[in-house]
């Protein structure tokens, strides 16, 4: 399963149908975006983790020409318990670090084609000595060089590798810059090179989530924060991403409530930039149950890209959000027409809506589509698809409004509507637990209706494009009973409220010629 979920300003991409966590993103020269992270198979933890990437076009749509349907997986089968630091370069290569024997960092590069870079890897191995430090991290610079850092107590050692993996001996002292922190560094999560030769370090001296700024000479910059240290107290976790704007202002991505992406902006001296967002902070709620912002990048036009993970369709997926320079959500990214859509893959997918008015679109494969709350448009595509309803609130009408879903391409010979959770006893007149099936006046739509409302005045209603009133039976309609008799009710016997109070316009995309549908 490799689905994508888009909303204005937001794109969520499933890589392999299991758990995908994004840790870095980079803007390529053409303005497209690479998001990189780790994917693992939740049902087979012994398999381990793989490196994975997704490529987004400048408007946030998935680039179907990249890898496999816009995704690339580098199979590594890394043990689940093993920590890796991972970054992606502008050419699409992945650089990663992990701890080897005797506190020796192992730094490796995989090219844009997913193959190991033998030259870089051999040179990097020769450049990094034993005892360098533990918990190594990497950071890639715009010129192709790579920073490598490792911790020992309150000391952070940093070296720089050239693009070919050889050590840059002009960096620091004999190729190593030794940085002292005011306390034990429990961990270091990020390094950012500055234009003046200094380094921003994202770490936790004595468990205090902080940004530390060092000069090119390796000393704490006393003009930054408090004696070179800025504690970060108003985010939900350690980590996140750091980016520096051309004007020297610092952006930090994170989360505040674990269902959002948050970005903080600071002046060059570490003070909050109160002109940005809400006193220096912007939070964007993401769909689903969980979100974590781990990466950030700044476009040439000042727009801000946030990357991380969101639990939006049954698993953790890559997520990207784009903000305008002032922190407002950029509605030209993700879904550019204002619609929210969940699109499946060429395989068999389970597509579950997230509670708003959405477009769910299966492609090939035997898909399960469940719109959940909201007034949804559903299209199963090719294959034997199931349209599933778990509650009356998923598709209903009240006395004065309609929130009924609409299935655009139901095929009675292949597809099935599953209403088994709703308790209907059979086909009838819509009363006494039965479901009425009938057409509108011009036979262009089929309605499945109940006239018995729940405590909130909601009564089930589902709309199908096409005339299926004489074709729905136990082969394609599942109620709570073992069999379904065909309806003998014709359209003349239907009540006069089959149409919605007014149409709502949504657009179904993904075809050569998009069509606009009036949902009634």
């Amino acid at each position: 399963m490799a689905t994508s979920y888009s909303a204005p300003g937001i794109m969520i991409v499933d890589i392999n149908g299991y758990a995908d966590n994004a840790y870095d993103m980079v803007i390529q020269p053409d303005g497209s975006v690479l998001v990189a992270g780790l994917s693992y198979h939740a049902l087979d933890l012994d398999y381990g983790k793989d490196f994975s990437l997704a490529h987004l076009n400048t408007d946030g749509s998935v680039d179907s020409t990249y890898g496999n349907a816009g995704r690339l997986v580098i199979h590594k089968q890394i043990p689940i318990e093993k920590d890796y630091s991972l970054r992606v370069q502008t050419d699409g290569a992945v650089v990663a670090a992990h701890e080897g024997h005797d506190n020796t960092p192992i730094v490796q590069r995989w090219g844009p084609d997913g193959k190991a870079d033998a030259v870089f890897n051999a040179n990097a191995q020769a450049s990094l000595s034993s005892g360098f430090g533990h918990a190594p991290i990497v950071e890639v610079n715009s010129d192709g060089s790579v920073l490598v850092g490792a911790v020992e107590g309150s000391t952070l050692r940093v070296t720089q590798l050239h693009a070919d993996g050889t050590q840059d001996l002009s960096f620091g002292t004999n190729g190593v810059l030794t940085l002292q922190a005011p306390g034990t560094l429990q961990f270091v999560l990020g390094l950012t090179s500055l234009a003046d030769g200094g380094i921003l370090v994202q770490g936790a001296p004595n468990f205090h989530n902080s940004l530390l700024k060092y000069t090119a000479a390796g000393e704490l910059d006393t003009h930054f924060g408090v004696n070179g240290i800025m504690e970060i107290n108003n985010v939900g976790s350690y980590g996140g991403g750091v980016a520096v704007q051309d004007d020297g202002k610092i952006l930090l991505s994170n989360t505040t409530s674990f269902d959002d992406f948050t970005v903080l902006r600071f002046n060059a001296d570490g003070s909050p930039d109160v002109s940005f967002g809400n006193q220096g902070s912007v939070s964007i709620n993401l769909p689903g149950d969980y979100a974590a912002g781990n990466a950030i990048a700044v476009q040439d036009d000042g727009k801000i890209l946030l990357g991380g993970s969101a639990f939006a369709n049954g698993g953790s997926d890559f997520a990207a959000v784009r903000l305008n320079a002032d922190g407002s959500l950029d509605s030209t990214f993700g879904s550019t027409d204002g619609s929210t859509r969940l699109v499946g893959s060429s395989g068999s997918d389970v597509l579950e809506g997230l509670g708003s008015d959405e477009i769910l679109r299966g492609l090939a494969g035997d898909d399960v589509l469940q719109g959940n709350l909201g007034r949804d448009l559903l299209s199963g595509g090719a294959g034997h698809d199931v349209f599933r309803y778990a509650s009356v609130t998923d598709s209903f009408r009240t006395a004065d409004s309609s929130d009924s879903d609409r299935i655009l391409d139901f095929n009675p010979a292949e597809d099935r509507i599953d209403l088994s959770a709703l308790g209907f006893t059979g086909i009838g007149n819509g009363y006494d637990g039965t479901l009425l099936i009938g057409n509108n006046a011009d036979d262009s739509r089929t309605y499945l209706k109940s006239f018995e409302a729940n405590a909130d005045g909601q009564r089930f209603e589902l709309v199908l494009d096409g005339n299926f009133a004489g074709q729905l039976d136990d082969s394609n309609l599942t109620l709570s009973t073992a069999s379904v008799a065909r309806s003998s009710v014709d359209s003349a016997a239907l009540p006069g409220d089959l149409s919605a109070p007014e149409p709502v316009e949504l657009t179904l995309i993904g075809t050569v010629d998009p069509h606009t549908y009036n949902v009634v």
Side-chain angles (χ1 to χ4, degrees), residues 228-476:
I229 303 170
M230 180 185 69
E231 287 197 22
I232 305 166
N233 299 311
N234 49 348
V235 294
S237 68
Y238 296 108
V242 174
V244 180
Q245 298 182 167
D246 290 340
D247 60 3
K249 291 185 177 181
I250 301 165
L251 294 165
L252 172 71
S253 67
N254 205 286
T255 182
T256 53
S257 57
F258 297 100
D259 62 0
D260 63 7
F261 281 4
T262 294
V263 58
L264 310 177
R265 191 162 76 183
F266 304 94
N267 296 308
D269 63 0
S271 61
D273 178 10
V274 296
S275 69
F276 180 76
N278 181 15
Q279 298 296 301
S281 174
V282 170
S283 292
I284 302 296
N285 287 329
L286 269 72
D289 300 323
Y290 171 85
N294 298 320
I296 190 167
V298 182
Q299 297 184 173
D300 289 340
D301 61 2
K303 291 185 176 183
I304 301 164
L305 277 161
L306 307 177
S309 307
F311 198 98
N313 189 43
S316 177
D317 300 322
F318 285 8
V321 171
R322 191 164 71 188
L323 307 178
N324 295 308
D326 62 0
S328 59
L329 194 64
D330 179 9
S331 60
T332 68
F333 183 84
S335 174
T336 58
D337 65 356
S339 299
T340 300
R341 54 179 54 81
L342 177 59
V343 180
S345 67
S346 58
S348 297
D349 301 305
V350 178
L351 305 179
E352 295 192 47
L354 298 175
S356 61
D357 294 348
E358 296 162 323
I359 300 169
L360 276 67
R361 181 170 178 253
L363 299 178
D366 300 337
D367 303 318
V368 177
L369 294 86
Q370 183 171 320
N372 293 323
L373 301 178
R375 194 178 189 192
D376 305 312
L377 282 175
L378 301 97
S379 172
H384 295 76
D385 303 311
V386 176
F387 300 90
R388 185 172 63 193
Y389 289 84
S391 169
V392 169
T393 58
D394 291 349
S395 184
F396 66 89
R397 172 185 289 279
T398 67
D400 55 9
S401 66
S402 174
D403 251 17
S404 54
D405 287 0
R406 180 173 160 200
I407 300 175
L408 302 176
D409 62 348
F410 185 73
N411 182 344
E414 295 184 344
D415 300 335
R416 181 162 54 90
I417 299 170
D418 183 357
L419 306 180
S420 58
L422 305 188
F424 294 115
T425 58
I427 300 303
N429 61 3
Y431 294 94
D432 299 322
T434 65
L435 192 68
L436 182 144
I437 300 176
N439 290 2
N440 62 354
D442 63 3
D443 291 333
S444 62
R445 288 178 184 162
T446 302
Y447 289 77
L448 286 70
K449 299 175 66 72
S450 168
F451 298 109
E452 296 176 317
N454 61 17
D456 295 318
Q458 301 164 340
R459 46 192 174 87
F460 181 78
E461 178 181 271
L462 177 63
V463 184
L464 314 180
D465 274 9
N467 180 2
F468 304 113
Q471 303 177 56
L472 298 178
D473 54 31
D474 56 4
S475 68
N476 49 40

Side-chain angles (χ1 to χ4, degrees), residues 206-217:
N206 294 330
F207 288 107
H208 295 290
N209 193 15
S210 305
L211 276 180
L212 301 88
K213 184 179 180 182
Y214 292 89
T215 66

